[in-house]
Structure formats: C-alpha cells, structure tokens
Amino acid sequence: MRPGYLASLVSLAVALVMVGVVAAVGTRISHPEPEYIVELSDDSLVEVEVEEGDPLGELALLSLESPGCVHGLPSGDLGEMNVRGLGQWEFGSEGRTPYFVYEFEEPGTHTVECTEEVDGGLALAAESIDAAETRQQIWAVTALGVPTVAVLLAIGLALATFLRSRKESTARPPQH
C-alpha cells in the first residue's frame, strides 16, 4: 500500500474519532464554576461596595433555580437587569445557570435582595457568561472543523496518490 493511501486512512480515522468524541460529549460543553464576588444563599440581602474610579462592571447572578432578586443602586433606585445568557450555560458540577446581569458601575453601596432561596452568587460576567460563549464557540469550531479538514485531507491525499500512481504507470515504456 502506498504511503499516500495510508495517510489518507489515518486522516479518516482522525475524523471518525472526532465524530465519536462529539457524539459522546455533545455539542454543548459544561463550564467551570466561576469565582463569586459575593455568594448568595437563602433569602438574602447583600451589599456590594463599588469604589470611586473602580467599577466592577457587569455581574452575573448564577443560581440553581430562577431567583427573585432585585438590584438596588446607591442612589436608591432599582438597577436594570439584563437577561443575557439566561439559562444558556451551565457552570460547575451542580449546573448553576446565569439568570440576570446587573451593572455595578455607580460608586457607593449596591444591594442585591433576594426574596426566594438562592444557591449561587454574583460573578463577573466577563469571567462567566462571556468566557462561556467563547469556550462554546471554540468547541463548535473544533467539533465541526477537525472532522471536515480531516475528510478533505483524506480525499486530497487519496486523489494525489492515485494521480501519481497513474502518472507513474503511464510513464513506463512498454515492455517487449
């Protein structure tokens, strides 16, 4: 067997292994438990201090179940909540999901009050939701890209080997 055909078979084997990995793992991957800036449990009221010139940015509320929580701004108004990433990702072995994203930009004491039981906490959105989106995109490109490239490589190697064999056989002078 020519080395080109052997390389083509190896490439097809890589594609099949990757398809098997994707079938076993699935197209959705789990994500590590983020570091919580504030942990929440039970019916809780927590205060988060934001220093002048050092905003925390967006904090994601992750919990096992949808909590009833409100974000109080230092001005006394209620903060807006964003539902970016709502139930889209699972974090840690227990499968906490993001429910709300709050802005912690305004200096002063912010409050988060939950009227229902919460099992989770507040984590930086960039390190939880945004990182999960990036990991998922990398996994999707890998899951689709590796088998595709491997199959195309296998076809290319087999075709090149076939054409080379054909060229070599036609280049030989006829034997008398």
Side-chain angles (χ1 to χ4, degrees):
M1 179 179 267
R2 290 187 161 259
Y5 289 130
L6 185 61
S8 180
L9 288 174
V10 168
S11 184
L12 281 176
V14 167
L16 287 174
V17 166
M18 190 61 193
V19 167
V21 168
V22 171
V25 173
T27 55
R28 310 264 315 148
I29 56 173
S30 62
H31 304 283
E33 190 83 34
E35 284 187 43
Y36 294 115
I37 291 178
V38 176
E39 291 199 23
L40 301 168
S41 62
D42 302 330
D43 301 339
S44 57
L45 168 69
V46 295
E47 293 182 347
V48 178
E49 194 65 38
V50 175
E51 301 294 326
E52 182 75 41
D54 191 22
L56 292 174
E58 294 180 324
L59 296 184
L61 174 62
L62 283 77
S63 181
L64 291 174
E65 295 181 22
S66 179
C69 299
V70 293
H71 171 214
L73 299 172
S75 64
D77 295 332
L78 289 180
E80 292 182 25
M81 64 180 171
N82 180 335
V83 290
R84 187 175 89 230
L86 176 66
Q88 204 170 10
W89 317 111
E90 289 188 0
F91 294 88
S93 60
E94 294 179 358
R96 289 183 175 86
T97 58
Y99 285 98
F100 307 114
V101 176
Y102 302 118
E103 290 277 341
F104 284 76
E105 300 285 340
E106 188 178 320
T109 303
H110 292 250
T111 60
V112 175
E113 184 173 7
C114 299
T115 56
E116 299 171 18
E117 186 173 320
V118 179
D119 185 8
L122 294 169
L124 291 173
E127 293 178 5
S128 55
I129 296 173
D130 297 343
E133 289 173 357
T134 302
R135 276 191 295 277
Q136 189 64 46
Q137 290 169 355
I138 290 170
W139 173 243
V141 167
T142 302
L144 295 173
V146 169
T148 302
V149 168
V151 167
L152 291 175
L153 180 64
I155 292 169
L157 287 169
L159 184 60
T161 303
F162 172 75
L163 292 174
R164 183 174 176 206
S165 295
R166 193 167 146 203
K167 182 179 177 183
E168 287 174 358
S169 68
T170 57
R172 292 185 197 142
Q175 295 179 352
H176 296 286

